[in-house]
Amino acid sequence: METDNKISVILPVYNSEEFISESISSILNQTYKNFELIIIDDGSTDNSRAICENYSKSDKRIKLIKNHHCGLTVSLNYGLEIARGKFIARQDADDISLPNRFEKQVEWFLRDKKRVLCGTNCKILTENNEYKTNRSLKFSNDRIKRKLEYSNCFVHSSTMYLRDCVQKLGLYDDNLKYAQDYDLWWKLTTLGEVGNLSEKLLIIRNREDSISIKNKN
Protein backbone atom coordinates (compact mmCIF):
# COMPACT_ATOMS: atom_id res chain seq x y z
CA MET A 1 0.00 0.00 0.00
CA GLU A 2 1.15 3.54 -0.75
CA THR A 3 0.75 4.53 2.90
CA ASP A 4 3.53 2.05 3.72
CA ASN A 5 5.93 3.65 1.25
CA LYS A 6 6.25 7.25 2.34
CA ILE A 7 9.11 9.33 0.93
CA SER A 8 11.02 11.96 2.87
CA VAL A 9 12.51 14.46 0.42
CA ILE A 10 15.56 16.28 1.76
CA LEU A 11 16.19 19.63 0.06
CA PRO A 12 19.09 21.71 1.45
CA VAL A 13 19.00 25.37 0.45
CA TYR A 14 21.69 28.04 0.57
CA ASN A 15 21.36 31.30 -1.37
CA SER A 16 19.33 29.75 -4.17
CA GLU A 17 16.67 32.40 -4.75
CA GLU A 18 17.05 32.21 -8.54
CA PHE A 19 16.03 28.55 -8.80
CA ILE A 20 14.40 27.42 -5.55
CA SER A 21 10.78 28.07 -6.58
CA GLU A 22 11.07 25.89 -9.65
CA SER A 23 12.81 23.18 -7.64
CA ILE A 24 10.17 23.07 -4.89
CA SER A 25 7.32 23.16 -7.41
CA SER A 26 8.77 20.16 -9.24
CA ILE A 27 8.56 18.15 -6.01
CA LEU A 28 5.06 19.28 -5.10
CA ASN A 29 3.85 18.36 -8.61
CA GLN A 30 5.01 14.74 -8.48
CA THR A 31 2.55 12.07 -9.56
CA TYR A 32 3.50 10.16 -6.38
CA LYS A 33 1.86 12.11 -3.55
CA ASN A 34 2.84 10.22 -0.39
CA PHE A 35 5.80 12.31 0.75
CA GLU A 36 7.02 14.92 3.18
CA LEU A 37 9.36 17.66 1.98
CA ILE A 38 12.07 18.66 4.45
CA ILE A 39 13.60 21.96 3.39
CA ILE A 40 16.72 22.91 5.32
CA ASP A 41 17.69 26.54 4.87
CA ASP A 42 21.37 26.63 5.78
CA GLY A 43 21.59 30.29 6.75
CA SER A 44 20.76 31.88 3.40
CA THR A 45 21.47 35.60 3.12
CA ASP A 46 19.36 36.19 0.01
CA ASN A 47 15.60 35.79 -0.44
CA SER A 48 15.66 31.96 -0.36
CA ARG A 49 14.26 31.63 3.16
CA ALA A 50 11.30 33.91 2.48
CA ILE A 51 10.45 31.97 -0.67
CA CYS A 52 10.57 28.68 1.24
CA GLU A 53 8.41 30.12 4.03
CA ASN A 54 5.70 31.02 1.53
CA TYR A 55 5.63 27.47 0.22
CA SER A 56 5.56 25.97 3.72
CA LYS A 57 2.52 28.06 4.65
CA SER A 58 0.53 26.71 1.70
CA ASP A 59 1.43 22.99 1.81
CA LYS A 60 1.32 20.97 5.03
CA ARG A 61 3.70 18.36 3.62
CA ILE A 62 6.56 20.85 3.92
CA LYS A 63 8.78 21.07 7.00
CA LEU A 64 11.03 24.12 6.89
CA ILE A 65 14.13 23.98 9.09
CA LYS A 66 16.13 27.16 9.63
CA ASN A 67 19.81 26.66 10.45
CA HIS A 68 22.89 28.77 10.83
CA HIS A 69 25.36 28.09 8.02
CA CYS A 70 26.60 24.59 8.90
CA GLY A 71 27.39 23.13 5.48
CA LEU A 72 25.87 20.46 3.29
CA THR A 73 26.80 17.33 5.25
CA VAL A 74 25.39 18.64 8.54
CA SER A 75 22.20 19.73 6.78
CA LEU A 76 21.74 16.34 5.14
CA ASN A 77 22.25 14.45 8.39
CA TYR A 78 19.84 16.70 10.26
CA GLY A 79 17.24 16.01 7.59
CA LEU A 80 17.83 12.27 7.95
CA GLU A 81 17.41 12.46 11.70
CA ILE A 82 13.94 14.00 11.48
CA ALA A 83 12.77 12.11 8.38
CA ARG A 84 9.90 9.66 8.85
CA GLY A 85 9.63 8.08 5.40
CA LYS A 86 10.69 4.60 4.39
CA PHE A 87 12.50 6.14 1.42
CA ILE A 88 14.78 9.18 1.34
CA ALA A 89 14.80 11.23 -1.86
CA ARG A 90 17.45 13.86 -2.47
CA GLN A 91 17.22 17.00 -4.51
CA ASP A 92 19.39 20.09 -4.78
CA ALA A 93 17.91 23.56 -4.70
CA ASP A 94 18.72 24.35 -8.32
CA ASP A 95 17.54 21.07 -9.86
CA ILE A 96 14.17 19.97 -11.23
CA SER A 97 12.51 16.56 -10.84
CA LEU A 98 10.31 15.48 -13.71
CA PRO A 99 6.73 14.65 -12.59
CA ASN A 100 7.02 10.85 -12.51
CA ARG A 101 10.48 10.61 -10.92
CA PHE A 102 9.32 9.43 -7.46
CA GLU A 103 6.75 7.04 -8.92
CA LYS A 104 9.36 5.35 -11.13
CA GLN A 105 11.89 5.03 -8.31
CA VAL A 106 9.43 3.55 -5.80
CA GLU A 107 8.32 1.04 -8.44
CA TRP A 108 11.98 -0.01 -8.86
CA PHE A 109 12.37 -0.62 -5.12
CA LEU A 110 9.15 -2.59 -4.79
CA ARG A 111 10.23 -5.11 -7.43
CA ASP A 112 12.98 -6.54 -5.18
CA LYS A 113 13.42 -6.35 -1.39
CA LYS A 114 17.22 -6.47 -1.75
CA ARG A 115 17.34 -3.00 -3.36
CA VAL A 116 18.78 -0.16 -1.26
CA LEU A 117 19.75 2.74 -3.59
CA CYS A 118 18.30 4.07 -6.83
CA GLY A 119 19.53 6.98 -8.94
CA THR A 120 18.27 8.15 -12.32
CA ASN A 121 19.64 9.38 -15.58
CA CYS A 122 19.29 13.13 -16.03
CA LYS A 123 19.33 16.04 -18.40
CA ILE A 124 22.32 18.32 -17.78
CA LEU A 125 21.52 21.97 -18.47
CA THR A 126 24.54 24.19 -19.11
CA GLU A 127 24.77 27.88 -18.23
CA ASN A 128 24.04 28.56 -21.93
CA ASN A 129 20.72 26.68 -21.54
CA GLU A 130 21.93 23.80 -23.69
CA TYR A 131 21.63 20.12 -22.79
CA LYS A 132 24.62 17.79 -22.71
CA THR A 133 24.94 14.05 -22.13
CA ASN A 134 26.02 12.50 -18.82
CA ARG A 135 28.50 9.78 -19.78
CA SER A 136 29.56 8.80 -16.25
CA LEU A 137 26.45 6.80 -15.30
CA LYS A 138 26.30 3.03 -15.04
CA PHE A 139 22.93 1.33 -14.68
CA SER A 140 23.28 -2.24 -13.42
CA ASN A 141 24.29 -3.32 -9.91
CA ASP A 142 27.44 -5.13 -11.08
CA ARG A 143 28.70 -2.33 -13.33
CA ILE A 144 28.01 0.31 -10.69
CA LYS A 145 29.98 -1.63 -8.08
CA ARG A 146 32.97 -1.90 -10.43
CA LYS A 147 32.82 1.81 -11.29
CA LEU A 148 32.54 2.85 -7.62
CA GLU A 149 35.95 1.35 -6.96
CA TYR A 150 37.49 4.40 -8.64
CA SER A 151 34.75 6.94 -9.47
CA ASN A 152 31.23 8.07 -8.62
CA CYS A 153 28.44 7.11 -11.02
CA PHE A 154 25.35 8.49 -9.23
CA VAL A 155 23.84 11.95 -9.53
CA HIS A 156 23.33 12.83 -5.85
CA SER A 157 20.29 14.99 -6.54
CA SER A 158 18.58 12.07 -8.32
CA THR A 159 19.02 9.46 -5.61
CA MET A 160 16.47 7.65 -3.49
CA TYR A 161 17.56 5.22 -0.77
CA LEU A 162 16.25 3.31 2.23
CA ARG A 163 16.29 5.36 5.43
CA ASP A 164 16.89 2.33 7.66
CA CYS A 165 19.99 1.32 5.71
CA VAL A 166 21.56 4.77 5.87
CA GLN A 167 20.85 5.00 9.59
CA LYS A 168 22.54 1.61 10.03
CA LEU A 169 25.63 3.05 8.30
CA GLY A 170 25.73 6.13 10.55
CA LEU A 171 24.35 8.63 7.99
CA TYR A 172 26.69 10.75 5.85
CA ASP A 173 30.25 10.91 7.20
CA ASP A 174 30.44 14.38 8.77
CA ASN A 175 34.24 14.23 8.63
CA LEU A 176 33.97 14.64 4.86
CA LYS A 177 33.49 18.16 3.53
CA TYR A 178 33.20 16.88 -0.05
CA ALA A 179 32.30 13.51 -1.67
CA GLN A 180 30.11 12.53 1.28
CA ASP A 181 27.67 11.07 -1.24
CA TYR A 182 30.31 8.92 -2.98
CA ASP A 183 31.36 7.53 0.40
CA LEU A 184 27.76 6.64 1.27
CA TRP A 185 27.03 4.95 -2.08
CA TRP A 186 30.06 2.70 -1.68
CA LYS A 187 28.90 1.69 1.82
CA LEU A 188 25.34 1.03 0.64
CA THR A 189 26.61 -1.51 -1.92
CA THR A 190 27.60 -3.68 1.05
CA LEU A 191 23.96 -3.87 2.19
CA GLY A 192 22.11 -4.67 -1.00
CA GLU A 193 21.47 -3.99 -4.67
CA VAL A 194 21.91 -0.55 -6.24
CA GLY A 195 20.92 0.82 -9.64
CA ASN A 196 20.35 3.80 -11.89
CA LEU A 197 17.20 4.18 -13.98
CA SER A 198 18.00 4.86 -17.63
CA GLU A 199 15.11 7.32 -17.94
CA LYS A 200 16.02 10.99 -17.63
CA LEU A 201 13.93 11.97 -14.62
CA LEU A 202 15.88 14.99 -13.34
CA ILE A 203 17.22 18.23 -14.81
CA ILE A 204 20.46 19.37 -13.19
CA ARG A 205 22.15 22.71 -13.75
CA ASN A 206 25.82 22.49 -14.63
CA ARG A 207 27.07 25.69 -13.01
CA GLU A 208 30.75 26.54 -12.66
CA ASP A 209 30.21 27.78 -9.08
CA SER A 210 28.65 24.52 -7.87
CA ILE A 211 30.37 22.50 -5.14
CA SER A 212 30.76 19.42 -7.34
CA ILE A 213 32.40 21.37 -10.18
CA LYS A 214 34.74 23.42 -8.00
CA ASN A 215 35.90 20.37 -6.04
CA LYS A 216 35.75 17.72 -8.76
CA ASN A 217 39.27 16.38 -8.18
Side-chain angles (χ1 to χ4, degrees):
M1 294 177 60
E2 188 175 334
T3 52
D4 299 324
N5 297 305
K6 186 174 183 176
I7 300 170
S8 294
V9 188
I10 299 180
L11 179 66
V13 178
Y14 179 69
N15 289 352
S16 303
E17 63 180 1
E18 183 177 359
F19 303 116
I20 187 59
S21 289
E22 194 171 8
S23 185
I24 294 173
S25 294
S26 77
I27 295 171
L28 299 180
N29 292 327
Q30 289 291 301
T31 56
Y32 191 92
K33 303 298 184 184
N34 186 25
F35 66 83
E36 61 177 354
L37 171 55
I38 302 171
I39 302 175
I40 303 174
D41 179 74
D42 194 30
S44 294
T45 57
D46 64 359
N47 200 39
S48 296
R49 181 172 292 189
I51 295 170
C52 293
E53 285 176 342
N54 285 335
Y55 275 97
S56 67
K57 291 174 183 176
S58 61
D59 196 310
K60 63 181 181 181
R61 293 174 296 180
I62 297 176
K63 298 178 181 178
L64 176 58
I65 310 300
K66 303 171 185 179
N67 277 352
H68 299 295
H69 190 45
C70 300
L72 178 61
T73 308
V74 172
S75 294
L76 291 173
N77 282 341
Y78 187 71
L80 284 168
E81 288 170 358
I82 65 175
R84 293 294 175 264
K86 175 180 178 179
F87 302 107
I88 301 295
R90 275 283 291 112
Q91 185 163 310
D92 291 333
D94 53 355
D95 295 338
I96 301 165
S97 285
L98 299 186
N100 60 343
R101 175 194 157 190
F102 294 170
E103 181 180 351
K104 294 285 187 179
Q105 287 182 291
V106 170
E107 287 175 355
W108 181 88
F109 277 104
L110 296 182
R111 286 197 290 269
D112 194 326
K113 291 183 179 180
K114 297 189 297 292
R115 294 178 170 180
V116 298
L117 167 65
C118 178
T120 81
N121 204 340
C122 58
K123 300 178 181 181
I124 302 176
L125 186 62
T126 70
E127 291 183 327
N128 297 322
N129 286 321
E130 298 173 344
Y131 286 111
K132 69 176 188 177
T133 302
N134 185 352
R135 302 189 185 280
S136 66
L137 289 183
K138 304 297 178 186
F139 300 100
S140 68
N141 180 62
D142 291 341
R143 295 190 71 189
I144 288 171
K145 285 185 174 181
R146 289 197 294 271
K147 178 74 179 286
L148 285 175
E149 292 178 359
Y150 58 89
S151 180
N152 194 0
C153 52
F154 285 97
V155 177
H156 194 179
S157 191
S158 80
T159 54
M160 183 180 291
Y161 45 83
L162 295 181
R163 177 170 61 93
D164 289 350
C165 288
V166 173
Q167 288 179 332
K168 185 183 298 183
L169 293 168
L171 311 183
Y172 291 89
D173 187 342
D174 56 14
N175 293 310
L176 297 175
K177 188 175 182 181
Y178 309 118
Q180 64 283 102
D181 56 331
Y182 182 21
D183 173 74
L184 185 60
W185 310 153
W186 180 81
K187 291 174 181 175
L188 279 168
T189 64
T190 67
L191 299 182
E193 183 180 334
V194 302
N196 274 311
L197 302 181
S198 60
E199 296 167 271
K200 295 179 179 179
L201 299 174
L202 182 80
I203 300 172
I204 64 172
R205 300 181 193 274
N206 191 37
R207 296 185 294 134
E208 291 301 318
D209 62 346
S210 71
I211 291 174
S212 58
I213 296 295
K214 289 193 295 185
N215 302 287
K216 186 174 182 179
N217 288 339

